[in-house]
Amino acid sequence: MSNVPHALELPGAHAGAAAHTPAPRRAAAARAAPAPATVDPGQPARALWPAGLLAAVAWAALGVLTLAWPNKAIGFSEWAFTQEFGVAALAAGGVLLLVALLGERSGPVGRTLRPAGPWLVAAPLLLAVWEVLTAKTGALPPPFFAPPQSLIEVFTEDGARLGLSIAHSGRLLGHGFLVGALVGFAVGVWIGWSRIAGYWVHPLLRFLGPVPASALLPLAFFFAPSSYAAAVFLVALATFFPVAVLTWSGVASVHKSYYDVARTLGASEWFLVLRVAIPAALPQVFVGLFMGLGASFSVLVTAEMMGVQAGLGWYLQWAQGWAAYANMYAALLVMAVFCSGLITLLFAVRDRALSWQKGTVKW
């Protein structure tokens, strides 16, 4: 019975033998065994980038369509920079094709472009529709509608004036937003902390705050010493209300137990405000800042249309007066990029200021 066939061995025989094996020998065997294959979730699953290949084809098709299909001559319209636009689309397709073929070896460029894969496919398709409806068929007649290459002409020939307008708008928005955010934050903390301020100031804030800042435009230009000061006041007023309300809400909603624990440890009133109430209210403060940034940007454009001699709002009004609709579209595009950049910057500041929350809330 000593020569038992392997097929008749009991299932636990190997387990029992392993149990009687000395521990050092088992550890050595475990180290010698091959490690199971693991997949790094940060690495792409394929060497090629399928979305990149599709985006490369879409951009190349846009370039071919722009260069091969002649523009339709309608009246006075001769769209310049058509060839440059087509060549740029072909170049974009070539770059995306190279990145897609390199796959994981594309480095930082590929890692940056991969999340935007669907948008890189959709963008040339939208541009192709825009090109066909304007320059190629004239379904959207000029001068009210301009093709994509007209934006290149605006940025090339009128870039200096547009850049000066961006600088003026940035300065005005910076002054107004900073003043409104600081005053709104201070008032919000005061209302949320002080019962007296909550009794007297809070009703005024709720009564006057919802009034649109642009509705006070005539009064602002009448009482302000200059048109620039009136524009700064309107931008600050648009920022003030959401920041003040949400800061007050954040301070008022801090749990009472936090204050009780801090007082037990000997905290003063200023410590409670600066180290307990304000940090706990910061998430809502940033919500108010985001809302104030959007409101202040809309008021900025309105204020610049009324009395300021430079800025994106002034540029829009100037382009409309001259029926330069391509310049209007270029200014609108610049506004979108400008506002999006400011929001991205504010997100970065929010993430840095609220980094202590990453371990306590779902991020």
Side-chain angles (χ1 to χ4, degrees):
M1 298 296 293
S2 58
N3 298 326
V4 180
H6 290 288
L8 299 179
E9 289 182 1
L10 296 176
H14 291 290
H20 291 288
T21 304
R25 190 178 300 176
R26 292 199 304 270
R31 288 194 298 269
T38 59
V39 178
D40 186 1
Q43 296 294 332
R46 302 179 181 178
L48 293 178
W49 180 26
L53 292 175
L54 188 59
V57 173
W59 281 100
L62 173 62
V64 171
L65 180 145
T66 303
L67 296 175
W69 191 343
N71 293 337
K72 183 176 182 179
I74 301 178
F76 62 89
S77 61
E78 288 293 338
W79 304 118
F81 293 93
T82 299
Q83 184 175 1
E84 289 82 356
F85 178 65
V87 172
L90 291 175
V95 172
L96 288 172
L97 178 62
L98 179 62
V99 173
L101 293 177
L102 288 176
E104 301 176 8
R105 294 172 295 174
S106 58
V109 177
R111 289 193 296 270
T112 303
L113 294 178
R114 280 178 182 272
W119 277 108
L120 292 175
V121 178
L125 298 180
L126 295 176
L127 289 174
V129 173
W130 183 5
E131 178 75 13
V132 170
L133 293 178
T134 52
K136 303 306 180 185
T137 63
L140 300 177
F144 305 101
F145 299 95
Q149 56 264 33
S150 64
L151 301 183
I152 303 177
E153 182 178 4
V154 173
F155 292 135
T156 302
E157 298 181 357
D158 205 26
R161 181 182 296 155
L162 194 56
L164 183 63
S165 299
I166 296 172
H168 279 271
S169 293
R171 184 185 66 169
L172 176 57
L173 183 65
H175 288 165
F177 182 77
L178 183 62
V179 171
L182 291 177
V183 176
F185 177 76
V187 172
V189 173
W190 185 34
I191 296 174
W193 183 258
S194 172
R195 291 184 178 179
I196 297 177
Y199 180 81
W200 290 102
V201 182
H202 181 218
L204 295 177
L205 186 65
R206 295 186 62 177
F207 181 73
L208 298 177
V211 177
S214 56
L216 303 177
L217 192 65
L219 294 177
F221 279 102
F222 180 79
F223 289 105
S226 64
S227 59
Y228 182 81
V232 169
F233 170 75
L234 292 175
V235 173
L237 185 62
T239 308
F240 165 81
F241 178 66
V243 174
V245 170
L246 286 167
T247 302
W248 156 71
S249 176
V251 172
S253 62
V254 177
H255 201 277
K256 184 176 179 295
S257 60
Y258 294 161
Y259 298 128
D260 295 337
V261 172
R263 288 191 180 97
T264 303
L265 297 176
S268 63
E269 292 295 312
W270 279 108
F271 185 92
L272 293 177
V273 174
L274 298 177
R275 303 300 297 274
V276 179
I278 292 179
L282 278 181
Q284 289 186 271
V285 172
F286 276 99
V287 174
L289 290 174
F290 281 111
M291 295 176 62
L293 181 60
S296 63
F297 200 84
S298 61
V299 173
L300 165 76
V301 175
T302 303
E304 286 180 337
M305 284 183 174
M306 298 301 295
V308 181
Q309 298 302 318
L312 291 174
W314 172 86
Y315 188 89
L316 271 177
Q317 188 179 30
W318 170 84
Q320 184 181 7
W322 286 96
Y325 293 99
N327 297 65
M328 289 182 56
Y329 297 144
L332 291 174
L333 178 61
V334 168
M335 286 181 183
V337 174
F338 185 39
C339 189
S340 177
L342 292 177
I343 291 176
T344 302
L345 179 61
L346 191 55
F347 265 116
V349 175
R350 193 278 308 266
D351 294 341
R352 185 65 180 269
L354 300 182
S355 58
W356 53 270
Q357 275 196 329
K358 290 186 177 181
T360 58
V361 298
K362 184 178 180 181
W363 202 253

